[in-house]
Structures are given as C-alpha cells and as structure tokens.
Amino acid sequence: MTEQLDDMYRDIIMEHYRYPRGHKEISEPDLANQGHNPVCGDVTEIKLTLDGDRIEDISVNCVGCAISVASGSMLADMIEGKTISDVRKIAEVVRALIKGEEIDTDLDLGDLEALEGVRNFPVRIKCALLSWTTLVDAIEAREVGQTVEASTTE
Amino acid sequence: MRTGFVSSDLASGDARVPDHTGLSKEAINRDFPILSRKINGKRLVYLDSAATTQKPQCVIDRIESYYASQNANVHRGLHTLAEEATSAFEATRDKIASFIGGVRREEIIYTRNATEAINLVAQSWGRKHIRENDRIVITRMEHHANLVPWLVLAEETGAELEYIPVDSQGRLILDNISNIIDSRTKIVALTQMSNVLGTINPVDEIIEVAHRRNAMVLIDGAQSVPHLPVDVKALDVDFMAFSAHKMLGPTGIGILYGRESLLDRMEPLIYGGEMISEVRYDSADWAELPWKFEAGTPNIAGAIGFAPALDYLNSTGMDKIREHEIELTEHALDRLAGLKFIRIYGPTSSEQRGGIISFVDSEIHPHDLAQFLDASGIAVRAGHHCAQPLMGLLGVNSTARASFYIYNTKDDIDELVSALRDARRYFIND
Ligand SMILES: Cc1ncc(COP(=O)(O)O)c(C=O)c1O
C-alpha cells in the first residue's frame, strides 16, 4: 500500500504541487472558467489568452490537494503554445491515462505520465481531472458560441 | 450483554494513560469483528463513526437469524413467520420509544434515515403550516440534511429562512435569540451536536424560547442520540430525527419522533399499501399512527437488527458512553495541541463538545492527509462533511475529521497523532 501511495505521490507530482506552474494572474483573458469538485471543495480557476487558435498564455490557480494542484500545473506546462484542437486531443489522452483506459496515441505526455498512479485510487480520479474538465468545458462552450459560468467534476 | 468495563488498568505497567471508561480490549475484539481487520497490513483504527458506526456481532447475528429463520412481510400475513417478523419489527419500535425517554410507540415513525425523517416534517408539516412571510429558523452549522429541506420549503412558500449565527469556536451565538426566533417563526430546526465541530448545542434553551413564541422545534439528533443520553420528554421537543446506522445499527433505517398531537394532524408523504385503513374505488382512509407514514414494505431486517444495537447501548449505558467520549476527546485535544502544525476547529472544552474533531494541517491538504492515514490503517474523513456553508464560515474548503465511539481507545488516538507526524515527513520532509 505504501508502494501504491508512493506511486501516486511521485516526486514529479510533489514538485509540481510545491511549485505550481501557471500560478499567476491574466487580466484580460480570451477564455476563462472556474471548476470545483463538490466532493472535497477543491477549486480551480483557468484563464487563457489566444493568438488565433493558439494558446498564448495560460494561468491555472488551483486550491486543492497535491493531485489536483499538480495536475493543473502540468496542464499549464503542457498546453501553452498549443492550438485548441491539440488541447482537446491531449485532454482526451490525459483522461484515458488517469482512468486507466487504453488509448492509441503517439503523444509525448512528459510529466503528465506521472498521473498514472492515480488510477489505483478511484476517489482521487476527480482530483486529477478537475483542471482538465474545467478547461475542456470552456473550450466546448466557446465552440458553440457560449460561455460557461462554472464547471464541476460531478 | 457482555460488555464488561475495565475499571482501571494501571497494573499493566503501560506508560500511557489507560482508558478508564471504555470497553475492555476483549470486549472490543469479541463484539466488533471488523476491528480485527488489517487495512494495508496495519491494524484498522476506525475514526469515522460520525459517518457511520461499526456493528457489533449481535446486530450482524440478528440480521442473519431474521433472514435465516423468520423472513416474511410484516402486518399482512397470518402465518407464523409473518407473526414473528411483525412482532420483532414492532418490538424495536417499543425499544426506541423507551430509549429516547419513554415516549409513546405511536410517536415513533420508521424512515430510511435521519434525512428522510427531516424531509417528512419539512414537507408534510411544513407545507401545511408555513405561509408566506412566516419564518423558519435553523443554524449556520447544519448538515445539508437539515438545511436543504428548509431552503426548498422557504422557496416554495415564500417564508423567510433565518440562521442562528456561530462564533469562532463553533458555538451558537444566542445573544440575539429572541429576535431571531420572533413571533412570525413557525419552526426552529437545529442539530443537537455538530457533525463537523462536535459542538453540543444548548437545545433546551432554544426549545424554551421557541415554545414561548408558539414555534415548533425539530432536533436533528443524528449525532447526539448515539452519543449522549437524550430524553425527548424532558426536552419537550416536538420532532426529532436520527439514524440507526450511526448508533451500531444497520443502514437504511431511520427514526422520526413526533409529538402525537402533531403527527395526528399531518398528511402522509407517501401513499400505498400498509398506510391505509380502508380503500374504496373513490376514496381511502389512512391507517393509525405510526403506520400512516410507513407506506410500502419497510426495511424489516433493518428495524429488527436495530434492536440488539439498542440493547448494546443500554447495557453499556449512555452515561458511560458519554464519559468515555469525554475522556477520549480530552486526550485527543491534548495530544493534538502538541502538534504545532495542526489546527483544530470547534469548542476547546470537552463539556461543550462530543467526540468529533475537525482539523487541518498547515500544509497538507485534508485529502492527501486522509489518503496517507489510510495507508497507515487509520480511517478518517476528509471533505466538507455535508456542511459546505459552514466550511465557508471557517474559511476552509475542507477539513479532516476524526470521530470516536464506544470501541475507540486512547491507543487509537496515539496512533493518529503519530501518523500525523509521519505525514509531515512524507509530504514536506518536516
Ligand atoms: C448532524 C447530521 N444530520 C443529519 C445527517 C444525515 O444522516 P443520514 O445520512 O443517516 O440521513 C448526518 C449524517 O452524516 C449528520 O451528521
């Protein structure tokens, strides 16, 4: 069990938790959304600016457990400079990784691979997905010309 | 019942302070089989009784013997099994009636849980008696179960929902109580013990003020009835709700106590079989109390299995249980105070609180902490404990919560404290 615990709280995760990337303010975002996990009260706020279809700058401010903060930090790292359609693909792969589902991809997930250990702790999957769900909801709303007020993991 | 108390264990030569008031180790091992389980290779330290308690062997056996030798539907058969099942099902009702202070059996309604009992009052009594501009008073420390039903009722009726405030130690502020419970107030609903802070509320004082205003009072007894001697008659309360599963009994069975004169005038919430006296094609008459509120086949095994739980509590003695929990709580408050990185919420005096302690680590998120503790065999809860608005008031998103019962010992608390130290080492190299 301690092994499983160590497998979830890998060094990379703890490093992102202590020094989260994207922890800043963006004053005039093109896209923004807040997400919360009603099970534990964790909240995340994501803002980004776009250059056409490309993500120019992103902030992720997550108040939560090590897993949700680290996942949000990795999200900020991963998607800066990517296009909206890249992000959707990445999010899908990350979701599959966290849930332990098979997915065919040649994407290099980098640090995100470390989130794999979460699959042994079903209640923590929502923690790991919080920021991703929040971002994807905002993107989906934008595609149909709407904005979202907030997202939840439920 | 075989629940011998150890009077003193000083002879053991153990440097730790022995438990003077708890069950003996033998009784715990014999009566609570689950506590012999290993979790992740460690002895299970169960500190989540506020969520649900573990069940003694006598309860487990009774449920099994009911299904193995008495299973039948109640109130509708003339055969031996149906008679036995009905008589056991109804016998529990009598035990409950005497457990909470000797009320009438007609005043004990079986529900699924405390939540359903509260909803029954909000929807049946509430919809009939609450009008626009009336006032419903609750407190800022309620469990969602005693908040959402009133929120909905207030919205439906146009009544005003008013809150009794809470101070920084998690106690009700009663200075302004006679303005809060005003002449428009029709009902006051409050918990007798907070499931987050452990606070024991002075419900007798509040009942007195409410009755002076002719307002009804509902007590959420989900946390108090399992842990304190509660006498409904002495309190002179109108409604009280609680759940069997938080007091050694099975899940799926809850209780609404209601004053007979009030229940008599209330409409059923659910219609169907078991709750009628006569049905015609164009009309129906309701059954007598308590069955009027018990439509459909009830949780028969749950009610029958609740009886030995009540016997167990009675033979242990609710005074003893309270005394034991005070001792555990004092020990825990004392040991936790030694951990500078732990912040505790709720009253600091054990007289004003039950065995529920919410806490946070200055750096480790409650979720991570609970996960780490679980790896050490220690079960605590982390989250908002179904009290989101209260979390906001405390200025946190969530807390970790340790809660105690009859089978916990000081050793359990010492293991928690030592694991909290280990967690610092694990997460922040402290
Ligand atoms: C104070 C309080 N009220 C009500 C409830 C609801 O109990 P149940 O889920 O059994 O309906 C709980 C349970 O957590 C509680 O602690």
Side-chain angles (χ1 to χ4, degrees), chain B residues 147-162:
Chain B
L147 195 167
V148 183
W150 304 112
L151 208 57
V152 170
L153 181 66
E155 214 168 83
E156 275 176 7
T157 56
E160 181 181 280
L161 186 59
E162 188 64 41

Side-chain angles (χ1 to χ4, degrees), chain A residues 6-150:
Chain A
D6 293 344
D7 190 36
M8 178 161 67
Y9 293 115
R10 294 179 194 181
D11 291 344
I12 297 176
I13 290 193
M14 296 313 287
E15 206 262 336
H16 276 276
Y17 174 47
R18 285 185 202 122
Y19 311 103
R21 328 289 196 263
H23 190 53
K24 61 183 173 195
E25 262 313 307
I26 291 182
S27 53
E28 284 177 36
D30 295 311
L31 204 57
N33 193 16
Q34 270 190 13
H36 49 106
N37 181 348
V39 179
C40 59
D42 287 359
V43 288
T44 192
E45 190 179 46
I46 297 185
K47 291 181 179 169
L48 49 88
T49 56
L50 291 167
D51 176 13
D53 224 18
R54 197 166 290 280
I55 291 158
E56 198 176 48
D57 197 9
I58 176 158
S59 69
V60 178
N61 289 294
C62 179
V63 182
C65 64
I67 303 304
S68 60
V69 171
S71 180
S73 166
M74 291 171 181
L75 177 149
D77 247 3
M78 184 73 182
I79 73 160
E80 196 176 317
K82 301 280 196 303
T83 65
I84 293 281
S85 65
D86 288 342
V87 171
R88 298 200 64 154
K89 279 191 209 120
I90 297 168
E92 222 165 282
V93 176
V94 169
R95 176 179 290 270
L97 172 90
I98 292 169
K99 290 189 152 180
E101 293 162 2
E102 290 292 323
I103 191 160
D104 206 18
T105 177
D106 46 13
L107 204 67
D108 176 12
L109 285 177
D111 287 0
L112 281 162
E113 299 274 3
L115 286 171
E116 187 180 45
V118 173
R119 66 176 64 162
N120 295 320
F121 298 90
V123 284
R124 306 305 296 276
I125 288 174
K126 283 181 182 155
C127 310
L129 287 176
L130 176 62
S131 288
W132 294 91
T133 308
T134 305
L135 176 63
V136 169
D137 280 357
I139 290 175
E140 282 178 355
R142 177 175 178 269
E143 280 169 1
V144 292
Q146 292 176 348
T147 54
V148 274
E149 298 272 305

Side-chain angles (χ1 to χ4, degrees), chain B residues 1-5 23-36 54-61 248 308 311-313 315-316 406-407:
Chain B
M1 197 66 38
R2 316 144 298 175
T3 55
F5 270 92
L23 296 177
S24 69
K25 283 228 161 57
E26 298 71 46
I28 295 170
N29 289 336
R30 183 188 57 220
D31 296 343
F32 293 91
I34 204 169
L35 297 179
S36 309
Q54 296 305 343
K55 319 304 174 201
Q57 188 65 51
C58 54
V59 169
I60 301 167
D61 288 346
L248 308 181
D311 291 341
Y312 198 102
L313 294 173
S315 70
T316 308
I406 180 168
Y407 36 67

Side-chain angles (χ1 to χ4, degrees), chain A residues 6 9 18 38 42 66 124, chain B residues 40 365 368 371 384 398 426-427:
Chain A
D6 293 344
Y9 293 115
R18 285 185 202 122
D42 287 359
R124 306 305 296 276
Chain B
N40 302 316
H365 188 280
D368 296 319
Q371 194 90 62
H384 53 59
S398 64
Y426 186 85
F427 286 110

